[in-house]
């Protein structure tokens, strides 16, 4: 649904550093191999160069790879708006796979739809980049929880 | 929901071999490192020994790992009931994370809820095994599509 | 997934009365017309006699009717386990429609999968009863939140 | 996620009439009481004046009402792009409830994210209108199936 880009106010002045540090401490994220390509309050973009070991039996990006991108892009979009001394927890997510994940790289754009004190709902769109062309290959809704009084 | 164990009739006499061969051709599945620990018509159980590189920032199993298990256990439970000359495709799935994925290994049990000509709906329950104790850590609903006239 | 029937301990001795009273105060539930046919800690069964105004264009039960049943059966299964002075809130749900809703009545069975202090995850299976035969027509995962310090 | 408004090409020249006629033949839609306030290829907007019998126990719009709006706005957005001699079927949907449904009316905007031969994935955003102010109260992902060779 088309909309003007929305601006969010972070509640933690240290949001950028805390998000990047938490991201860097995720071993599975490193195993899959994606990187933060953009980070703003309430928004995270991830980029993943494709390689053979991320595919399923037909040579396309594996659904588990897309799910990981969907979860992480939304989780950290949400975490960027959480207050100091809190940790993010993914409650649940739903992913629709829209087209084969075929191309040189994948891009996942996570965005907060509704920030909240306890729960934050986010959305991630995933695109495959093939010869410079972006194709929407997945979309996800993600519910995050803010755990207070807990260092991430 | 408690229920008697349901029995399914495979439509492909070669279902066991075709499921195992397709599973073995998934590079990402091998990167994550899980194995088939049980396979029956309409049912697949996967076992994954935990290791550090499958975790998130708190040392628990990563949501993307659980999503991969949920997808694959359901996808192949569904594929086991599909006719010859067809390929399985995950349409969408939804995963609830119920407890921290903490333990020596994870077990995912996928099961067909409703087989169909075009669409098959499956469920995966995921358990963490910690010192011999099983804890339910995730549950997923998965919609699969049967692509006819296509070798998997 | 087959399992032994699980028993839950209510945290509010007054759980039965509070659930039935809250249910009775839902105008939309009365408009749709379903009744509680069974209530136990962590479980609710609803029964809905079918009638023409609950159908879609092909004469089957409307998806919105199934969604309402799925939400309510799970919501009150969850509420039955919540402490005194709390109110239930549906965070999100996902419903798979498995077969046409055709018959004399619908039955929805909601059950808690994972009770929690803040979040409770539930499942509802929906059946159509046609000439005494039960057919599974829908399944849902539902995430509930417990709002503390608030009378329902 | 902000994006330019996308344009869809209907495959049935009679799309507008067939969508409105099918909509008018849904008894449950009439019981709930919403109307089509905008219809374009791949898009449907519904408007529902609020009334007491559509509420839950706290006086807000019932989750089942939002689910019905989410399903129908997406279903007919999808149907508008389907070829002649086909009927739409909702496969599944997932709805996040983001804020209390409080106001004079509700608006649901359904939109096709990915049209397909067999499956079409859509999204509905739901808003409450309170004293002229729109608040996002729900968002849903909906998977539709096109049943060929069947008059709706």
């Amino acid at each position: 649904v088309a909309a003007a880009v929305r601006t969010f106010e972070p509640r933690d002045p240290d949001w950028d550093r805390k998000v990047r540090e938490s991201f860097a401490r995720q071993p599975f994220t490193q195993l899959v191999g994606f990187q933060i390509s953009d980070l703003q309050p309430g928004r995270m973009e991830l980029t993943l160069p494709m390689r053979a070991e991320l595919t399923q039996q037909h040579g396309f990006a594996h659904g588990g790879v897309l799910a990981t991108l969907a979860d992480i892009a939304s989780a950290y979009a949400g975490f960027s708006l959480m207050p100091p001394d809190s940790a993010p927890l993914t409650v649940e997510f739903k992913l629709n796979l829209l087209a084969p994940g075929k191309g040189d790289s994948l891009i996942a754009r996570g965005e907060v739809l509704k920030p909240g004190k306890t729960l934050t709902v986010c959305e991630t769109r995933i695109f495959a980049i093939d010869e410079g062309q972006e194709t929407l290959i997945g979309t996800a809704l993600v519910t995050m929880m803010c755990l207070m009084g807990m260092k991430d």
Side-chain angles (χ1 to χ4, degrees), chain A:
Chain A
V1 174
V5 173
R6 192 174 158 194
T7 307
F8 295 101
E9 276 306 307
R11 283 179 284 175
D12 184 348
D14 204 25
W15 66 272
D16 185 280
R17 192 195 52 78
K18 91 174 171 187
V19 166
R20 292 180 191 276
E21 280 192 11
S22 175
F23 182 88
R25 282 184 287 110
Q26 291 211 329
F28 186 61
T29 293
Q30 293 173 36
L31 181 66
V32 177
F34 46 82
Q35 302 295 331
I36 301 174
S37 43
D38 191 30
L39 177 60
Q40 298 173 48
R43 279 190 184 78
M44 176 178 265
E45 185 188 89
L46 300 171
T47 301
L48 174 63
M50 272 304 293
R51 57 189 207 275
E53 61 188 351
L54 302 181
T55 59
Q56 30 85 294
Q57 73 276 25
H58 307 134
F60 302 130
H62 197 283
V65 171
L66 271 69
T68 306
L69 285 166
D71 176 13
I72 294 306
S74 275
Y76 284 112
F79 188 38
S80 73
L81 299 186
M82 291 181 189
D85 294 314
S86 67
L89 183 75
T90 301
V91 171
E92 60 84 36
F93 61 91
K94 183 244 203 284
L95 170 67
N96 268 262
L97 303 171
L98 302 175
K102 202 182 123 184
D104 310 314
S105 62
L106 303 183
I107 289 188
R109 297 192 181 110
E111 179 176 322
V112 171
L113 290 181
K114 174 65 171 60
K117 202 177 157 230
T118 305
L119 298 179
T120 291
V121 178
C122 305
E123 182 176 86
T124 300
R125 305 276 202 218
I126 308 176
F127 302 85
I129 315 296
D130 203 13
E131 302 182 8
Q133 187 86 23
E134 273 193 23
T135 303
L136 180 67
I137 61 168
T139 190
L141 282 173
V142 184
T143 307
M144 301 298 306
M145 189 169 176
C146 176
L147 300 174
M148 287 305 303
M150 188 174 159
K151 267 265 174 268
D152 180 56

